[in-house]
Amino acid sequence: MAGILAYGEIEFWLSLIKVVAIVIFFIVAIFISAGVIGPQKIGFKYWHDPGAFADSINGVANTFVIAGTLYAGTEMVGITAGEAGNPRRAVPRAIRQVFWRILIFYVGMMFFIGILLPWNDPDLIGKGSKTAASPLTIALSHAGIAAGASLINAVIVIAVISAGNSSLYVASRTMLYMARNGKAPQILSKVNKAGVPWVALIFSNIVACIAFLSVSDSAGTVYEALITLSGVATFIVWGTIAVVHVRFRQGLRAQGQSSEDLPFKALWYPYGTYFALATNVFLVFFQGYTAFLNPFSSTDFVINYILLPVFLILLLGYKLWKKTKWVKSSEMDIWTGRREVVHTEDATGGQFPSGKISTSWRKRGVAKKIKDVVVG
């Protein structure tokens, strides 16, 4: 309710705490794996026994929705651009940081968890479990670092608060824009003096209460269902973004506009975009194919694929209700809401048009680049 500045400040400090904790865990994990800390030298033995992949290809399919859920939110850069002071400069910089943060923190975290814990560890969550034990906490507990395990639990709480904070921001702003464009009830477009969509924010909090289902007696099953729904929704959103990107580029070309004037261009277009679209369509169907294995699970089938008909019903229902037509590339509105190009100073004091990316990034030292990636 305090506005975008308060949100940004809170996220900065929460993210800094998470990053510091993750870096410390990486260092400790190396010591644990090498046998410096803990009762034994682990190395990569769990990659051989019981193996790096649980349940072979079936296990890989089941984890795609988890990966989709964890990676969800990277697209929020496009949403925050609307409230950025200089999106032409901030958005390209943020996108570069997202790539390195995913590579270092997400992939790095999975790497160290994979070498410290076997996938069949009895302390890991399974169906019917009432609590979800963090693999980070389990790894530290096995190494005899009880205090570290408690500290990780505190960091997890901070991470959950940060994730909830970001999710509420994105959900409320998305509903605000939908309401302003006639795609949601107009009441959701109301904002306070600080520009915060308070009605949409309250509605987002109410919907978020579904998370409390995870404290039921069948917490493990409910948790997996929520993860699956979230992951599939992410694949649908990313696939839709790819379609919109292709259509946007077609609109630029049809109207005689050059993509070179864009402040940021997606890498490897159009092949990268079409690959992303095909990959997300594939993952939507591949992630749930285990429901068809013998014996067929009707419950898993519904959970894995229920969002597909929901998505189509909402899409086709809106077009039929509003009687909208497919917009030709030459008739697309690619100008409404677009900001004028202004001149700003880069880090060296020189003038450059904000529509162009400053060369100051390439001139920064290694330490400065690391700081930008880690804390922004």
Side-chain angles (χ1 to χ4, degrees), residues 232-270:
V232 174
T234 300
F235 296 144
I236 294 175
V237 168
W238 287 347
T240 303
I241 290 175
V243 172
V244 171
H245 183 211
V246 171
R247 292 280 292 151
F248 171 70
R249 286 296 193 96
Q250 291 174 346
L252 283 178
R253 185 168 59 252
Q255 298 181 33
Q257 302 297 316
S258 174
S259 61
E260 295 300 320
D261 295 331
L262 298 175
F264 179 82
K265 297 187 291 294
L267 189 64
W268 300 325
Y269 179 85

Side-chain angles (χ1 to χ4, degrees), residues 80-103:
T80 57
E83 299 186 60
N86 187 354
R88 289 176 172 268
R89 186 179 184 186
V91 172
R93 179 180 176 184
I95 292 175
R96 286 195 298 267
Q97 294 175 6
V98 166
F99 171 80
W100 290 109
R101 288 177 183 179
I102 289 177
L103 181 63

Side-chain angles (χ1 to χ4, degrees), residues 25 29 33 42-53 106-120 124 135-136 139:
F25 175 77
S33 179
I42 299 176
F44 292 89
K45 72 174 186 178
Y46 293 137
W47 285 18
H48 302 283
D49 182 22
F53 297 97
Y106 281 66
V107 179
M109 182 68 71
M110 293 303 101
F111 171 78
F112 284 111
I113 290 176
I115 65 175
L116 294 183
L117 286 177
W119 58 262
N120 60 353
L124 290 173
L136 281 71

Side-chain angles (χ1 to χ4, degrees), residues 184-341:
Q186 282 298 309
I187 191 174
L188 296 175
S189 64
K190 290 187 176 181
V191 298
N192 61 17
K193 293 182 179 179
V196 177
W198 61 275
V199 177
L201 188 59
I202 292 175
F203 181 75
S204 300
N205 277 275
I206 294 175
V207 175
C209 289
I210 193 175
F212 290 115
L213 290 174
S214 62
V215 300
S216 64
D217 292 336
S218 56
T221 302
V222 173
Y223 174 79
E224 290 184 1
L226 293 176
I227 287 291
T228 299
L229 293 173
S230 177
V232 174
T234 300
F235 296 144
I236 294 175
V237 168
W238 287 347
T240 303
I241 290 175
V243 172
V244 171
H245 183 211
V246 171
R247 292 280 292 151
F248 171 70
R249 286 296 193 96
Q250 291 174 346
L252 283 178
R253 185 168 59 252
Q255 298 181 33
Q257 302 297 316
S258 174
S259 61
E260 295 300 320
D261 295 331
L262 298 175
F264 179 82
K265 297 187 291 294
L267 189 64
W268 300 325
Y269 179 85
Y271 307 107
T273 304
Y274 282 113
F275 175 77
L277 174 59
T279 300
N280 281 287
V281 172
F282 169 75
L283 291 177
V284 165
F285 292 96
F286 177 67
Q287 56 81 27
Y289 90 93
T290 54
F292 297 95
L293 300 180
N294 191 25
F296 174 77
S297 175
S298 58
T299 301
D300 289 344
F301 174 79
V302 171
I303 294 175
N304 292 340
Y305 297 109
I306 186 62
L307 288 185
L308 289 178
V310 170
F311 171 71
L312 293 176
I313 289 173
L314 292 176
L315 175 63
L316 299 178
Y318 175 82
K319 293 191 71 64
L320 292 174
W321 181 265
K322 295 290 185 177
K323 295 181 175 60
T324 61
K325 297 181 179 180
W326 186 262
V327 180
K328 297 180 180 179
S329 299
S330 58
E331 299 175 355
M332 286 183 184
D333 181 6
I334 58 176
W335 303 102
T336 300
R338 192 171 182 176
R339 300 188 188 183
E340 296 292 335
V341 177

